């Protein structure tokens, strides 16, 4: 009898492997633009394929808040999250809480991705996360308005300000007094750090901390850059920008109220969607140079997927990460939502380039995007916060860049342990 029962149990186990092992995983999905829908669809497709279920944890739209939330979960050793989104500037901050993915991912798969991003995700020999999509700041402009008022797409920030003034004045005369010149991410959060790193780099003012770890923030070019943008607030740049995240800027631009916008590539698919007021009227180019001797540059952004080491379903979570970062999934997200793949071969894909022509024309901008100073490792977030507070104060009219950047520079030097971080 015992034998029969044991045999029966063994047979049952064979017949119902997926049923008895169906697990529920929790993945964090972003909330900016189409991110949540695309992430949910990808996760659901994996769930259908594997017989497991996936629950979505919505991340805040503000990346700085998202980091704080994730750090809290990780510090508590929470088992509530199986797959986490990791910003390109976070591996150095979060590495200790994540599984090393190296043993699970073949060399061939790793080789498909931009080597610099894979490198970025390695901390002390550990692969903290798999690249999911990359990002770089770009300039969106209204083709129709520039043409109508005899303006060319700008190559310098000064030209941009000049063109914006011409368009705004002419449109105002014609009764369109709602139009503004330039919108960007001006709220005091990580998005402003990205925006202002572009300003500094485009004027030749460095990137806060140099690649060797030396604090370089307080220099005349950086001061000039920040003062230049502060001088536009209230004229070319509306004051409201000081509370804009990505979606605030996109909302203004997509409703037809702005001539220029600094944003990430995701805004392209939405600006050209069915119900967009500016569908078909939008151009995308590299961000302008900070003057004739400046440089055209976009800040490197982008997201990775990792598995917290507290997950109770590590192997399955890795499988979900592999699925979501695969060629097929990255292609789908690029075609539908203009999220830049991290898989190099996809930049030759005809369907993808037809949906996003600027993935081809701005390829150099993407591969040469300027990194934020992650040499600062676990202290990156403090560095970013000091920097953007100084920029935000200047934009808001609280002091000049020379003083504000000098104070932030001194604090960073105190944090930096002589550049050793
Ligand atoms: C985008 C970028 C990310 C950056 C964030 C700032 O999501 O991909 O790297 O930190 O914007 O708002």
């Amino acid at each position: 009898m015992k034998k029969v029962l044991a045999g029966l149990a063994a047979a049952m186990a064979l017949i119902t492997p997926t049923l008895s092992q169906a697990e529920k995983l929790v993945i964090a999905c972003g909330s900016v633009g189409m991110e949540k829908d695309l992430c949910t669809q990808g996760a659901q497709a994996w769930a259908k394929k594997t017989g497991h279920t996936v629950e979505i944890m919505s991340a805040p739209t503000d990346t700085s808040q998202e980091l704080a939330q994730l750090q809290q979960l990780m510090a508590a050793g929470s088992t509530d999250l199986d797959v986490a989104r990791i910003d390109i500037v976070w591996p150095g901050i979060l590495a200790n809480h994540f599984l090393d993915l190296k043993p699970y991912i073949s060399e061939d798969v790793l080789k498909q991705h931009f080597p610099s991003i894979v490198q970025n995700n390695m901390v002390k020999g550990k692969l903290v996360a798999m690249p999911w999509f990359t990002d770089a700041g770009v300039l969106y402009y209204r083709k129709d308005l520039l043409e109508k008022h005899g303006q060319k797409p700008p190559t310098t920030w000064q030209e941009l300000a000049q063109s914006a003034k011409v368009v705004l004045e002419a449109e105002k005369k014609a009764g369109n007094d709602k139009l503004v010149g330039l919108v960007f991410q001006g709220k005091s959060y990580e998005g402003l750090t990205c925006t202002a790193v572009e300003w500094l780099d485009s004027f030749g003012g460095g990137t806060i901390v140099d690649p060797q770890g030396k604090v370089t923030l307080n220099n005349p070019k950086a001061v000039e850059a920040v003062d230049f943008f502060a001088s536009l607030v209230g004229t070319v740049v509306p004051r409201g920008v000081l509370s804009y995240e990505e979606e605030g800027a996109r909302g203004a631009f997509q409703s037809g109220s702005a001539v220029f916008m600094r944003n990430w590539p995701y805004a392209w698919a939405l600006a050209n969607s069915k119900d967009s007021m500016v569908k078909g009227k939008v151009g995308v180019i590299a961000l302008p140079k900070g003057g004739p001797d400046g440089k055209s540059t976009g800040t490197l952004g982008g997201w990775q997927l990792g598995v917290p080491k507290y997950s109770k379903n590590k192997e399955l979570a890795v499988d979900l990460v592999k699925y979501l970062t695969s060629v097929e999934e990255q292609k789908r997200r690029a075609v539908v939502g203009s999220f830049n793949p991290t898989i190099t071969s996809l930049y030759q894909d005809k369907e993808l380039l037809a949906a996003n022509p600027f993935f081809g024309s701005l390829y150099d901008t993407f591969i040469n995007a300027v990194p934020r100073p992650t040499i600062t490792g676990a202290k990156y977030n403090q560095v970013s916060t000091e920097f953007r507070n100084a920029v935000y104060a200047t934009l808001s009219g609280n002091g000049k860049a020379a003083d504000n950047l000098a104070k932030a520079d001194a604090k960073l030097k105190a944090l930096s342990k002589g550049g050793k971080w």
Side-chain angles (χ1 to χ4, degrees):
M1 185 63 186
K2 259 191 190 159
K3 263 194 190 162
V4 174
L5 278 180
L8 202 63
M12 295 271 292
L14 277 180
I15 299 166
T16 55
T18 42
L19 265 186
S20 59
Q21 290 160 19
E23 301 284 351
K24 189 187 83 184
L25 295 194
V26 179
I27 178 174
C29 289
S31 312
V32 172
M34 280 188 227
E35 273 190 300
K36 188 160 173 206
D37 285 349
L38 285 176
C39 173
T40 306
Q41 289 156 7
Q44 294 309 351
W46 176 84
K48 200 165 166 214
K49 200 177 100 176
T50 58
H52 299 288
T53 53
V54 185
E55 198 176 281
I56 309 298
M57 183 187 275
S58 287
T61 54
D62 173 327
T63 324
S64 303
Q65 284 171 15
E66 184 175 355
L67 174 61
Q69 210 178 67
L70 186 56
Q71 280 180 307
Q72 247 173 30
L73 276 178
M74 296 299 102
S78 167
T79 54
D80 290 350
L81 188 62
D82 301 293
V83 175
R85 290 169 19 103
I86 301 187
D87 194 350
I88 188 123
V89 286
W90 297 352
I93 304 176
L94 296 168
N96 289 343
H97 298 289
F98 281 79
L99 193 67
D100 180 8
L101 297 179
K102 204 83 207 278
Y104 302 90
I105 312 281
S106 73
E107 273 304 314
D108 286 351
V109 168
L110 271 186
K111 269 199 216 128
Q112 297 175 335
H113 298 263
F114 285 115
S116 56
I117 303 182
V118 173
Q119 200 47 47
N120 177 81
N121 297 355
M122 300 281 307
V123 178
K124 295 189 188 127
K126 170 170 160 180
L127 181 63
V128 177
M130 275 299 283
W132 192 22
F133 65 94
T134 183
D135 249 348
V138 291
L139 183 73
Y140 292 82
Y141 66 96
R142 286 283 300 280
K143 286 193 293 195
D144 57 329
L145 287 177
L146 291 198
E147 259 163 43
K148 180 170 162 200
H149 299 290
Q151 301 298 305
K152 286 206 207 79
T155 58
T156 65
W157 285 113
Q158 292 81 353
E159 271 173 32
L160 179 145
Q162 194 48 40
S163 287
K165 280 181 194 152
V166 170
V167 174
L168 292 187
E169 262 166 42
E171 286 290 313
K172 199 169 176 187
K173 272 193 199 136
N176 180 5
D177 57 3
K178 295 274 180 299
L179 196 67
V180 300
L182 168 68
V183 292
F184 52 80
Q185 291 75 58
K187 177 182 143 178
S188 191
Y189 78 120
E190 186 62 24
L192 178 58
T193 298
C194 297
T195 304
V197 161
E198 278 154 7
W199 300 345
L200 260 57
D201 193 39
S202 74
F203 274 73
T207 54
I208 317 169
V209 175
D210 75 13
Q212 284 71 44
K214 189 171 161 238
V215 177
T216 60
L217 177 57
N218 189 16
N219 72 77
K221 290 287 181 194
V223 168
E224 187 189 337
V226 176
D227 275 338
F228 171 79
F229 285 92
S231 77
L232 301 182
V233 176
T235 54
V236 167
V237 172
R239 285 201 175 278
V241 159
L242 298 178
S243 65
Y244 281 177
E245 296 175 7
E246 282 76 7
E247 288 290 83
R250 182 176 71 82
F253 187 77
Q254 199 168 311
S255 63
S257 312
V259 187
F260 297 105
M261 167 174 73
R262 181 275 175 208
N263 216 324
W264 309 100
Y266 87 95
W268 171 256
L270 292 159
N272 286 304
S273 60
K274 259 200 312 302
D275 51 1
S276 165
M277 306 283 285
V278 296
K279 183 174 163 41
K281 299 177 179 165
V282 179
V284 190
I285 49 176
L287 287 163
K289 300 190 281 186
D293 303 326
K295 156 181 172 200
S296 178
T297 182
T299 294
L300 177 68
W303 290 82
Q304 343 298 315
L305 292 175
V307 176
K309 65 181 187 195
Y310 318 106
S311 161
K312 289 203 212 113
N313 278 309
K314 294 192 191 58
E315 303 253 331
L316 282 180
V318 172
D319 196 58
L320 176 54
V321 167
K322 283 189 190 167
Y323 180 86
L324 292 176
T325 55
S326 68
V327 180
E328 294 73 24
E329 186 56 14
Q330 290 209 7
K331 176 169 172 180
R332 182 183 73 87
R333 293 171 53 91
V335 171
V336 181
S338 47
F339 285 98
N340 284 60
T342 59
I343 293 177
T344 47
S345 63
L346 282 174
Y347 287 83
Q348 318 290 325
D349 186 283
K350 290 217 174 73
E351 199 186 338
L352 190 148
L353 291 173
N356 308 288
F358 69 103
F359 280 16
S361 59
L362 295 186
Y363 185 69
D364 283 349
T365 302
F366 295 122
I367 59 166
N368 294 315
V370 60
R372 283 161 274 173
T374 44
I375 178 126
T376 55
K379 291 190 185 149
Y380 170 76
N381 195 38
Q382 282 160 280
V383 172
S384 171
T385 306
E386 289 300 343
F387 170 62
R388 67 169 171 266
N389 284 347
V391 173
Y392 186 82
T394 317
L395 293 177
S396 321
N398 294 325
K400 287 282 177 200
D403 287 341
N404 291 336
L405 296 192
K407 279 187 209 144
D409 186 280
K411 286 193 194 156
L412 297 185
K413 284 197 175 115
L415 257 183
S416 85
K417 295 202 198 122
K420 295 207 183 62
W421 296 102

